[in-house]
Amino acid sequence: MIPLVGLFEGDFVALFVAVEEEDTVTKLAEKIAEHAVGLRVKQEPDRSFEVVYDGEVLPNVKKVKEVGISPMDVVLVRYA
């Protein structure tokens, strides 16, 4: 399990989220989005999410362990 700090674009709350090394980047985005979208960030149906890490958008099909995310790194999730 990898603990991360997650931010959803437009939200003012930083989230502490635990993800599995085998989770896809899509799953990581969903774990963060569920705590922000529809609560403090407007829900936009039919829009997917993307994850920005270290200034780059991560491929959604990659696993967390494949993209080099380490414990307590900060990731930004936003609508694609």
Side-chain angles (χ1 to χ4, degrees):
M1 188 154 298
I2 301 174
L4 301 176
V5 176
L7 300 162
F8 196 96
E9 188 172 70
D11 196 358
F12 61 90
V13 177
L15 302 164
F16 181 72
V17 179
V19 297
E20 299 292 335
E21 289 181 340
E22 293 295 319
D23 285 348
T24 62
V25 170
T26 297
K27 183 69 174 172
L28 182 161
E30 290 168 352
K31 286 183 176 184
I32 293 170
E34 75 178 296
H35 297 287
V37 174
L39 301 169
R40 293 174 303 278
V41 176
K42 182 181 176 185
Q43 188 168 9
E44 297 186 22
D46 302 324
R47 299 238 359 233
S48 59
F49 305 120
E50 62 185 11
V51 176
V52 179
Y53 172 66
D54 201 23
E56 296 194 23
V57 176
L58 300 178
N60 286 331
V61 296
K62 292 276 189 175
K63 293 184 179 182
V64 169
K65 69 179 180 183
E66 297 174 318
V67 295
I69 295 174
S70 301
M72 298 310 294
D73 280 350
V74 178
V75 296
L76 172 73
V77 178
R78 64 185 181 197
Y79 286 110

